[in-house]
Structures are given as structure tokens and as C-alpha cells.
Amino acid sequence: MRESAQKRQTRIAEVVRDRGVARITDLADELGVSVVTVRRDVEELARRGEVRRGHGVARSLRPVPEESTAGGDAVAMIVPERNTYLTEAVQAAREAAEKAGLRLALHIADDAGAEREAVRQALDAGARGLLLSPHWRTQAEADADHSWLSGLDVPTVLVERRPARTSAIYPLDSVRSDHAYGVHLALDHLARLGHGRIVLAARDDSPTARVIRAEFAEQTAARGIAEGCRTILSSLTAGPDPRAADPRAADLVEVVGQSGATAVLIHSDMDALVLVQRLQAAGIDVPGQCSVVAYNDVVADMGPVPLTAVAPPKTELGRVGVDLLLRRLDMAREGLRPGATRHLELLPALVIRESTAPPPA
């Protein structure tokens, strides 16, 4: 005779209390019922406050030692070293993972190409899925990673990265900011103020930086102002090789003076704060003589002149990345065929502060 739901739920609660954490699939096997039945029982127990629901698991209300959840209930996120831009995304991913009952293990890739070793360590530690933001300082680096990334046998989501349609990893889920729209927001704001001569001081050492540079060229041309606009590096080491000074890093003060530019778009925030200081030290008032828009909005509001900034949805990148990963994990756990790949683009916003104004008469 099949036991009643009440007795079955009592057994589930006892098992969870004894083990600290129990997988839904394991409970279904032990009780001889379907996964759906156990999931409903766990939902009812959680509603009554007897257990906590997690991603594919039921947890005891008592604290569980870290090692109990470090293996099969873990996913990993791998990000480049010294990338403050992704800090908010990492924190949001951690919160989303924990809400789903998963532990997020963070791995830092300290150099281009280090992602492969970080992935190996994450998988050896039992990570069931991956969130990846490779360095990819050049397109060649990205191409070199495609072969081994396409061979990963765990659910993987690219965060703030999206490879070309012809690449082997295009079928991976991804979430990224729509940086083309971010450049549009900056140029549209400056154009409405009356600026037609704009300098882009941007990095060139990541997929994001390359999109910003390409879009600036394309969009200024479309607006008919390309002739009065120029692109330089935002610092001596903002190119693909951070160890060497890049000759494209022209002095911003000289460029502004020579070109007659009345506005600057600077990627990223940290570079923007430094360059604004140099402009002011040279007697170029911001925004009286030169308006400034920063790109990233991590610390743009902290300078002596709070900077107008393009703000990608950094927090949402982390949350959506985890949502995409959870969807893949759910399908794998239920033995379902993988659904359609999702490439999501999230729109940045423009935060207007004190560093932009109409050009001087």
C-alpha cells in the first residue's frame, strides 16, 4: 500500500534533518515515487517551515558545514583579474545562486589564457555549471579558446561575452550589455547639447572595448560628424599588451586642443577620472570647455566633478547569467533535451551628472 503524503513528508523531513541536504532525485529513488511528487512534498514542507528548498535539493534548517555543499551543489564563475567592472555582476550572481540553493565558487584568471586552468580546477572541485567571462584581449585569443570551450560537458554561460556566429561556441548561452546602444546614448546626449567634435579615449583590450571603438566610428559616421571626431587609447597600457606602452595613447590634452573637441567619451571610469584631472590641470574646465562622459559607471560619481556615465546593467548581468545556467541545469537534471540557445542583450542607461554641458560659444 502506498504511504500517505503526510507519512512521506515526515520521512523526507527526517532524512533532510539527518543529512543536512538531500537531492530531490535521490529522495524520489529511495521513496519509490516520482520527482514531481517529492518536489511537491518539499514545497509543502518548506511552506510549513520544516525544510528549506534549494536548486534540486531540500536543506535542513540547521547550519550545514561548508564541505557538505561545496561539491555537487556548486557552480563556478570565472572572471579576469583586476576587472572592477564585473564586481557587481559577481555579487549578484552569488546572491542568485544562493537563493537557488547553490554555492558560487569564484575563480580569478590572472592572465589571458588562464581561464582553461581555472575551468579545470572548477570542474575538478565538482562544479555542475560555469559562468565565464574570458579575457580575450584580442580576437586571436578568443579564437584560440573556442575549440576547448566548445568541448565542455557541463552547462556553460558566457557573461559579457558573445562570440561570432561562425565560432564553435556560438551555441553557448550568453548574456551581455548592448554596448552599441551605450555608445548611442552617449553620442545622442552630447549631440543634443550641441557637441559635434568628440574624442573617444577608450581601451582596446577586451570584447567590450572593441565594440565601443567600432560603434563610435560607425555611429559618428552615420551622424555625419566623423571628420571632427578622433579615437585614442585611454591610457598607455589600455591596449592588448598591458606590459608595454601603446603608441596609440596620445595625450588627451593635446588632442582636445589640436582637434577643437568640446567633448570626450572615456572608457573606462578609472581612466576617465585620471584624464579629467589632466584636463583640469591644463586649464581646460570640465564641463565649461570640455564635457566628459565616462563608460561603465563604477566610480564615475566619485571624482571632483561627478561624471555623466553610460551605466551597463552590471547587476542584471549576474542575475540573468545564473538564470540561464539554472535553466540548463534543470533540463539536465530532468533528462530533458537542451532547449534553444539564448543570447540576451541588456540595455545600458545614461546617468547624467555634472560633467556635461553645452559647448562654449
Side-chain angles (χ1 to χ4, degrees), residues 77-249:
M77 187 169 189
I78 298 165
V79 299
E81 184 183 29
R82 294 185 293 275
N83 191 317
T84 57
Y85 170 78
L86 289 172
T87 300
E88 291 180 41
V90 169
Q91 183 60 37
R94 176 184 180 179
E95 293 172 359
E98 290 179 348
K99 186 176 181 180
L102 292 171
R103 175 179 178 270
L104 181 72
L106 180 63
H107 294 255
I108 307 298
D110 59 3
D111 199 359
E115 287 87 5
R116 188 165 188 167
E117 174 60 20
V119 167
R120 185 193 66 77
Q121 292 181 11
L123 296 181
D124 286 349
R128 296 167 53 201
L130 300 170
L131 298 169
L132 293 180
S133 298
H135 279 81
W136 289 351
R137 290 196 178 105
T138 65
Q139 187 57 50
E141 286 182 2
D143 294 342
D145 277 350
H146 290 174
S147 59
W148 70 268
L149 284 174
S150 64
L152 293 174
D153 58 1
V154 298
T156 301
V157 176
L158 298 174
V159 178
E160 203 62 295
R161 301 289 184 264
R162 184 177 175 182
R165 287 180 175 85
T166 54
S167 72
I169 60 173
Y170 194 69
L172 293 180
D173 286 334
S174 68
V175 56
R176 71 169 182 175
S177 305
D178 186 346
H179 294 296
Y181 183 67
V183 173
H184 162 75
L185 289 175
L187 290 177
D188 191 61
H189 173 63
L190 293 172
R192 288 175 184 273
L193 290 173
H195 296 279
R197 291 182 174 272
I198 305 166
V199 173
L200 171 67
R203 306 192 67 84
D204 191 17
D205 56 359
S206 72
T208 295
R210 291 190 287 277
V211 170
I212 291 171
R213 295 171 73 87
E215 286 296 329
F216 182 81
E218 182 175 328
Q219 293 187 34
T220 53
R223 292 173 180 270
I225 59 173
E227 186 176 347
C229 298
R230 181 176 171 184
T231 298
I232 64 174
L233 282 182
S234 53
S235 76
L236 290 172
T237 57
D241 185 355
R243 299 165 298 180
D246 196 305
R248 295 175 296 166

Side-chain angles (χ1 to χ4, degrees), residues 55-56 128 325-336:
H55 178 71
R128 296 167 53 201
L325 189 58
L326 291 175
R327 173 175 168 266
R328 290 291 177 183
L329 291 171
D330 285 339
M331 289 179 173
R333 188 183 69 248
E334 300 292 345
L336 301 175

Side-chain angles (χ1 to χ4, degrees), residues 33-100:
V33 296
S34 70
V35 170
V36 172
T37 297
V38 174
R39 187 178 293 119
R40 289 173 179 166
D41 288 339
V42 170
E43 290 174 354
E44 175 61 22
L45 289 167
R47 188 189 65 80
R48 300 201 305 252
E50 297 183 42
V51 302
R52 288 188 297 121
R53 291 178 58 200
H55 178 71
V57 299
R59 298 180 182 278
S60 171
L61 298 179
R62 295 176 299 177
V64 181
E66 186 72 16
E67 57 269 20
S68 297
T69 61
D73 281 340
V75 294
M77 187 169 189
I78 298 165
V79 299
E81 184 183 29
R82 294 185 293 275
N83 191 317
T84 57
Y85 170 78
L86 289 172
T87 300
E88 291 180 41
V90 169
Q91 183 60 37
R94 176 184 180 179
E95 293 172 359
E98 290 179 348
K99 186 176 181 180

